[in-house]
Amino acid sequence: MGTRSIKEVAQLARVSVGTVSNVLNRPEIVSPATRERVFEAIRELGFVRNEVARHLRVGRSRTVGLVVLDVSNPFFADVAQGAEAVADEHDTMMMLCNSAADPERERRHLDQLEQQRVLGVLITPVDAASPRLAQLSARGTPVVLVDSAAAGPQCSVAVDDRLGGRLAAAHLVERGHRRIAFVGGPLSIKQVADRHAGASAAVAAAVAGEGAELVDFEIASLGVAAGRAAGERLAALPESARPTAAFCANDLLALGFLQAMSLRGLRVPEDVAIVGYDDIDFAAAAAVPLSSVRQPRELLGRTAIELLLEEVSAGDEHRHRQVIFQPDLVVRESSKAVRRDA
Amino acid sequence: MGTRSIKEVAQLARVSVGTVSNVLNRPEIVSPATRERVFEAIRELGFVRNEVARHLRVGRSRTVGLVVLDVSNPFFADVAQGAEAVADEHDTMMMLCNSAADPERERRHLDQLEQQRVLGVLITPVDAASPRLAQLSARGTPVVLVDSAAAGPQCSVAVDDRLGGRLAAAHLVERGHRRIAFVGGPLSIKQVADRHAGASAAVAAAVAGEGAELVDFEIASLGVAAGRAAGERLAALPESARPTAAFCANDLLALGFLQAMSLRGLRVPEDVAIVGYDDIDFAAAAAVPLSSVRQPRELLGRTAIELLLEEVSAGDEHRHRQVIFQPDLVVRESSKAVRRDA
DNA sequence: AGATTCTTTTGAATCGTCTCAAAGCCTGGT
DNA sequence: ACCAGGCTTTGAGACGATTCAAAAGAATCT
């Protein structure tokens, strides 16, 4: 193993370990001659500083953990990218962990991050109220909730999901739809529940134009396959009972749903309109460009890590903050047709 | 900070630190009574093992780094997912790093990973021949190349990109196309160069049916926007000079390219056929379902980390291996029309 | 030359955990 | 009562870097 220590460098440069450490951390206080000699030794030995030892001594890591619900959802990739950009500027590393919406995996990741004494954790929790999170933060690891509003005393960055749901459903109602499917689940995930609640409220409010209803297609996961399955279920209904529009809790579902429509020969938006959520880049490129509720993805990530770093450096006088962004609706082909009653 | 050490646990449980350590690492050699007392103390104090100190002592981390060219390309998300699944089984963490195809960022990430003394590095390098990689591995950090064949003596997992390029181009030639655009770049990225070379070879081989040619649309990056730009460029050509088909170096490009076609009113596949690469899930869901060269994405990740872990545990008697998978072509709407000459 | 500063360099202590030789404690045999 | 041999437990080093009080050297001033 070619891994050399500061001691060997010191020996070769004929100085003490303290001096080598100084060269590494405050080169300006070391005389130029010595400094050069030490650099020379470092080069010659191929010395690489052991961050682990440094961290042990200093007591503070340069790594933050980011735990997301689904790495392969481009929404989270974008959030991660936003966060990473900021982390980079503070030369901090990011560990990206995938909980796959499984509380057990989430717990394992949190355990590991805590054991590593990371600087802090950004997390889109499976369950924001989980005691594990409170515990983590109580024990001294700052936690920032991402895409999920904080219940307890912690920082969080979220987008108003109720509003998003409302926007989507109101739009569909306004386009003349009276029976609207909600595709999403599990409802234990806050985002899903909120989007559902928002949609539900919007549909109820439309009661003025009497009798609009939201039909739930609850599903167990949030991927393309689940969306397709829900689409199949909907397509199998007799036309009289079939919703004329679907609001999907995210774009992956919407994409899958759209595939099912085309497989079953239903036209979008004429037979069934679709609105997705997140406005990932692929939404606009879909077979039928998808209407979607847009969220500021990178900004979400950026803001989250900024809050975290702020919390770390502020120490005691840190005041937790809950940042909430507003989503907006992007209308595309998939919901453009106007429904003239049923 | 509520972070307690093994020493405090020892004190509370009235045993020595050695015993606490034993309880943690080899509970079976500790008497049940003592063990229970220690566990009790751990619980009471909320003790969390300091992995950093452990690592310093043991000299070996439980983290591997994965450096990819673009986190927001679903292809890499899938590779990461495959790798993570295996890492998980060996309770090893993964640090996902994004080089964004920038050698400078890549270097920084490698520096940091080396300083952290990670168990090893999985990397899709910007430049597989970079001396930094050889150096890393020479200094004792195992490196496995992902989606890129090893030049020097290291492990690698790749897919035969020449073959992939050949399949794509041969398919287009066989469909009657004689002037085929290649959209991709920079050619300094091995995968792009190989796909190009394969396509080039296939086109040349078709010379039997005289005069097929490959027209390069070299671009600087591999995202949707670059694909769109290339599409615009192609669409701007007079019909007589315009390629009737495009082979894109990845699906993001293909998706962007497709968008440009529809913006410019060119029909796919009638006016321009498209073949992408990677077969990400979104390819099938595109406006016109995309033909694409499929790669075993998760398998790539799984295999890479398996090789890495093997190398770590085998130590000296490890023999480097270069694994190569075969891609295959998935034909969909975007290339289905047959061209009856031009 | 001697006193006084200022600049450099030193080296021991420390962070939290693991390891391992040595010490302690038991049990049973004689 | 004494000892051999099997469990348990102990505690003194590592591991590699940082810190900081103190020592050593240089420079400046009387």
Side-chain angles (χ1 to χ4, degrees):
Chain A
M1 305 298 142
T3 152
R4 333 239 129 244
S5 80
I6 221 182
K7 204 189 294 183
E8 298 173 69
V9 174
Q11 214 163 324
L12 181 58
R14 317 177 129 274
V15 295
S16 71
V17 296
T19 300
V20 177
S21 177
N22 282 335
V23 170
L24 258 29
N25 300 300
R26 296 109 86 202
E28 69 283 2
I29 77 160
V30 176
S31 78
T34 314
R35 200 193 308 152
E36 205 35 62
R37 203 140 37 86
V38 171
F39 277 137
E40 180 53 41
I42 288 179
R43 217 169 306 130
E44 181 154 336
L45 292 174
F47 166 80
V48 175
R49 189 222 236 104
N50 186 331
E51 175 64 25
V52 177
R54 165 177 232 270
H55 170 187
L56 173 59
R57 181 62 234 263
V58 177
R60 199 207 226 217
S61 148
R62 297 225 121 283
T63 303
V64 316
L66 170 59
V67 185
V68 301
L69 290 173
D70 177 8
V71 247
S72 63
N73 183 339
F75 169 75
F76 289 111
D78 291 342
V79 171
Q81 220 162 2
E84 217 212 344
V86 177
D88 239 49
E89 289 162 19
H90 293 73
D91 67 358
T92 290
M93 297 209 76
M94 277 210 4
M95 298 199 84
L96 183 52
C97 307
N98 185 23
S99 70
D102 170 0
E104 173 57 22
R105 287 182 56 121
E106 176 180 290
R107 198 192 49 66
R108 279 219 311 281
H109 283 306
L110 291 177
D111 285 355
Q112 293 194 92
L113 291 170
E114 190 176 19
Q115 288 179 11
Q116 305 233 4
R117 300 292 192 270
V118 290
L119 201 52
V121 171
L122 308 178
I123 180 170
T124 302
V126 177
D127 167 15
S130 150
R132 185 71 185 83
L133 288 175
Q135 183 187 46
L136 192 60
S137 121
R139 280 188 195 144
T141 303
V143 174
V144 175
L145 265 34
V146 181
D147 192 35
S148 171
Q154 31 196 341
C155 283
S156 67
V157 189
V159 180
D160 188 337
D161 284 316
R162 291 182 86 97
L163 173 55
R166 213 150 51 218
L167 287 174
H171 163 68
L172 289 171
V173 168
E174 188 252 330
R175 280 295 205 266
H177 297 281
R178 290 294 170 266
R179 185 179 295 138
I180 301 175
F182 175 83
V183 178
L187 285 170
S188 61
I189 294 183
K190 190 77 172 355
Q191 289 92 316
V192 177
D194 283 355
R195 290 166 200 180
H196 179 267
S200 200
V203 168
V207 136
E210 85 236 29
E213 62 169 326
L214 192 66
V215 185
D216 288 354
F217 281 72
E218 196 174 347
I219 53 188
S221 70
L222 291 166
V224 175
R228 202 156 34 213
E232 300 282 356
R233 263 203 283 159
L234 179 138
L237 294 176
E239 191 175 346
S240 59
R242 191 193 302 143
T244 60
F247 168 40
C248 301
N250 75 20
D251 283 344
L252 298 185
L253 292 174
L255 252 13
F257 192 92
L258 174 60
Q259 283 176 32
M261 293 305 100
S262 101
L263 247 53
R264 293 309 208 93
L266 291 174
R267 289 163 307 159
V268 175
E270 294 81 357
D271 297 324
V272 181
I274 305 180
V275 175
Y277 209 108
D278 290 345
D279 193 30
I280 59 178
D281 288 342
F282 301 105
V288 178
L290 277 180
S291 297
S292 191
V293 177
R294 176 191 295 152
Q295 314 201 63
R297 305 181 294 266
E298 289 90 352
L299 183 58
L300 220 47
R302 300 190 83 80
T303 310
I305 193 163
E306 274 161 6
L307 284 178
L308 181 68
L309 294 174
E310 202 276 327
E311 176 163 358
V312 168
S313 62
D316 282 343
E317 62 252 33
H318 171 79
R319 299 260 350 138
H320 291 302
R321 271 186 292 162
Q322 277 84 38
V323 178
I324 300 208
F325 293 112
Q326 308 269 307
D328 55 316
L329 179 68
V330 182
V331 177
R332 299 202 183 85
E333 288 309 309
S334 73
S335 65
K336 271 206 177 135
V338 173
R339 191 94 198 163
R340 318 208 160 287
D341 186 39
Chain B
M1 306 302 142
T3 149
R4 334 239 129 245
S5 77
I6 224 181
K7 205 190 295 184
E8 298 174 71
V9 174
Q11 215 162 323
L12 181 59
R14 318 177 131 273
V15 295
S16 70
V17 295
T19 300
V20 177
S21 178
N22 283 335
V23 170
L24 257 29
N25 301 299
R26 296 109 87 203
E28 70 283 1
I29 76 161
V30 176
S31 79
T34 314
R35 199 193 307 154
E36 204 35 64
R37 203 141 36 88
V38 172
F39 277 136
E40 181 52 42
I42 288 179
R43 216 169 304 131
E44 182 154 336
L45 291 174
F47 165 80
V48 175
R49 193 225 233 101
N50 186 330
E51 177 65 25
V52 176
R54 165 177 233 271
H55 170 187
L56 174 60
R57 181 62 235 264
V58 177
R60 196 205 227 220
S61 149
R62 297 224 120 284
T63 303
V64 316
L66 170 58
V67 185
V68 300
L69 291 174
D70 177 9
V71 248
S72 63
N73 182 339
F75 169 74
F76 289 110
D78 291 341
V79 172
Q81 220 163 3
E84 217 212 342
V86 176
D88 241 48
E89 290 162 18
H90 292 73
D91 69 355
T92 291
M93 295 210 77
M94 276 210 4
M95 298 198 84
L96 184 51
C97 307
N98 184 24
S99 70
D102 171 0
E104 173 57 21
R105 287 181 56 121
E106 177 180 289
R107 198 191 50 66
R108 279 219 311 284
H109 282 307
L110 291 177
D111 285 356
Q112 293 195 90
L113 291 171
E114 190 176 19
Q115 288 179 13
Q116 304 231 5
R117 301 292 193 271
V118 291
L119 201 52
V121 170
L122 307 179
I123 182 173
T124 302
V126 178
D127 167 15
S130 151
R132 183 71 183 85
L133 288 175
Q135 184 187 45
L136 192 61
S137 120
R139 281 190 195 142
T141 303
V143 173
V144 174
L145 265 34
V146 181
D147 194 33
S148 170
Q154 32 196 340
C155 284
S156 68
V157 190
V159 180
D160 188 338
D161 284 316
R162 291 182 88 96
L163 173 56
R166 213 151 51 218
L167 287 174
H171 163 67
L172 289 171
V173 168
E174 188 252 331
R175 282 294 206 262
H177 297 281
R178 289 297 169 262
R179 185 178 297 136
I180 301 174
F182 175 82
V183 178
L187 285 170
S188 61
I189 295 182
K190 190 75 173 353
Q191 290 91 317
V192 177
D194 283 355
R195 289 166 200 180
H196 179 267
S200 201
V203 168
V207 136
E210 84 236 32
E213 63 170 325
L214 192 65
V215 185
D216 287 353
F217 280 73
E218 196 173 348
I219 52 188
S221 70
L222 292 165
V224 175
R228 202 155 36 212
E232 299 283 354
R233 264 203 284 158
L234 179 139
L237 294 176
E239 191 177 345
S240 60
R242 190 193 303 142
T244 59
F247 168 40
C248 301
N250 76 20
D251 283 343
L252 298 186
L253 292 174
L255 251 14
F257 192 93
L258 173 60
Q259 281 177 34
M261 294 305 100
S262 100
L263 247 52
R264 294 308 208 93
L266 292 174
R267 290 163 306 159
V268 175
E270 294 81 358
D271 297 324
V272 182
I274 304 180
V275 175
Y277 208 107
D278 289 345
D279 193 29
I280 60 179
D281 287 343
F282 302 104
V288 179
L290 278 179
S291 297
S292 192
V293 178
R294 176 191 296 151
Q295 313 200 66
R297 304 181 295 265
E298 289 90 352
L299 184 58
L300 219 47
R302 299 190 84 81
T303 311
I305 194 163
E306 274 162 6
L307 284 177
L308 181 68
L309 294 173
E310 202 275 326
E311 176 163 359
V312 167
S313 62
D316 283 342
E317 60 252 33
H318 170 78
R319 299 261 351 139
H320 291 303
R321 270 185 293 162
Q322 278 82 37
V323 177
I324 300 207
F325 293 112
Q326 308 270 309
D328 56 315
L329 179 69
V330 181
V331 177
R332 299 203 182 83
E333 287 308 308
S334 73
S335 67
K336 273 209 175 134
V338 173
R339 190 95 198 161
R340 316 211 161 284
D341 188 37

